[in-house]
Amino acid sequence: MPNATLGLPNHQSFDTQTVGVVLDRVTGLMWQRDLDGKLSTFADARQRCGALTLAGYDDWRLPSRIELVSILDVTRTQPAINVTAFPATPNDWFWTASVAADNPDAAWYVYFYFGYPKTDLASNQFSVRCVRTATPHPAPPTRYDIQPDTARDLGTGLTWQRAVPDQTFAFDAARSYCGKLDLAGKPWRVPSLAELLTLIDERAAAPMIDSTAFPNTPSEAFWSSSYFGGSAGMAWQVYFDHGNGLYGLPTATFRVRCVTALP
């Protein structure tokens, strides 16, 4: 999962040399760069991307929830995206290809005004940005390598703390807890918003997470390390009851699950 914040692994890196498209060097995804400004229902959005021919390619599609999350830049707002790579991006809702598990008439979108995913009725009309896989990555045989105390995501390469503490923390206290965590001999930290969103299991009911890899996870909000708009005044959380992100004061108290980039 790319990160827009300096100092975190897999820093966002985009190639815009080919006219009309953006190549993400981290994920291997190629994105439609210029948008036509038209709004579409969920069904029409999928059809539009499937019919798109751009830069000599005709295998475009609507991105999944986590693929669209991967180009968020929550260090800024209005829009929450790299405006050099993706100029003239509207402060709008963008459809993903991910259908809501609890409502067949709803689907996931990503809101690029601030930068979070949520679900809404598929009959609504939102913006569309298409994607294609430029560099395929073979799917791992299983999602997680589960150890007694840790679970390594074989897709992202991130290793997660399996059991979470019973107490809640303010933002700074959560960072202190992860920084001092003595587990498996690794350096731990609070995950970025994008990293934490990779744990959302769109097929699961509350909590929206793999219950085998992460048993007894509460259906509550968990801290990310990402400040809202890059300012220390507010910070992002992920809610594992519905899978959406939200920002609030760093004095509020939420759960925390620590992460490391080391295997």
Side-chain angles (χ1 to χ4, degrees):
M1 173 55 64
N3 280 300
T5 303
L6 291 173
L8 293 180
N10 304 315
H11 192 262
Q12 284 185 341
S13 178
F14 300 112
D15 182 346
T16 59
Q17 294 183 65
T18 302
V19 175
V21 299
V22 179
L23 177 63
D24 188 324
R25 297 188 181 98
V26 177
T27 64
L29 296 173
M30 181 178 287
W31 294 91
Q32 178 186 15
R33 191 179 194 199
D34 304 312
L35 309 178
D36 59 14
K38 296 179 181 178
L39 303 181
S40 298
T41 64
F42 174 69
D44 288 343
R46 298 184 73 169
Q47 186 175 28
R48 282 178 58 189
C49 286
L52 180 65
T53 297
L54 179 63
Y57 301 103
D58 60 3
D59 56 346
W60 296 90
R61 55 182 171 79
L62 198 62
S64 69
R65 176 193 65 92
I66 202 60
E67 286 175 333
L68 195 53
V69 163
S70 75
I71 58 172
L72 277 174
D73 180 353
V74 294
T75 66
R76 54 165 292 125
T77 61
Q78 304 181 59
I81 198 170
N82 184 311
V83 293
T84 301
F86 299 97
T89 296
N91 304 323
D92 205 354
W93 300 266
F94 280 74
W95 280 123
T96 81
S98 302
V99 177
D102 60 350
N103 184 353
D105 296 322
W108 287 88
Y109 67 84
V110 176
Y111 190 26
F112 277 85
Y113 189 94
F114 296 137
Y116 62 82
K118 202 175 181 181
T119 60
D120 212 327
L121 291 176
S123 57
N124 285 329
Q125 294 199 343
F126 294 157
S127 292
V128 181
R129 171 167 269 131
C130 307
V131 72
R132 62 178 295 272
T133 302
T135 307
H137 297 286
T142 185
R143 173 74 189 269
Y144 294 105
D145 175 13
I146 301 174
Q147 302 300 320
D149 298 320
T150 64
R152 183 169 187 256
D153 187 326
L154 299 179
T156 64
L158 295 171
T159 300
W160 295 89
Q161 176 189 24
R162 289 190 73 197
V164 297
D166 292 332
Q167 70 266 38
T168 59
F169 301 84
F171 182 76
D172 287 340
R175 297 178 70 174
S176 177
Y177 165 79
C178 286
K180 296 176 181 177
L181 183 63
D182 184 11
L183 183 64
K186 305 177 190 299
W188 297 89
R189 58 180 172 82
V190 179
S192 69
L193 176 64
E195 290 171 337
L196 191 54
L197 286 169
T198 65
L199 291 185
I200 294 294
D201 186 341
E202 298 157 11
R203 302 162 299 177
M208 296 185 70
I209 197 169
D210 186 311
S211 60
T212 301
F214 305 102
N216 303 315
T217 296
S219 300
E220 299 176 21
F222 281 70
W223 276 119
S224 83
S225 64
S226 301
Y227 288 117
F228 174 77
S231 169
M234 288 187 286
W236 284 97
Q237 314 98 42
V238 171
Y239 286 74
F240 280 82
D241 50 355
H242 297 297
N244 59 301
L246 197 62
Y247 55 89
L249 294 173
T251 53
T253 59
F254 299 114
R255 301 279 188 160
V256 65
R257 168 169 273 127
C258 309
V259 71
T260 182
L262 296 180

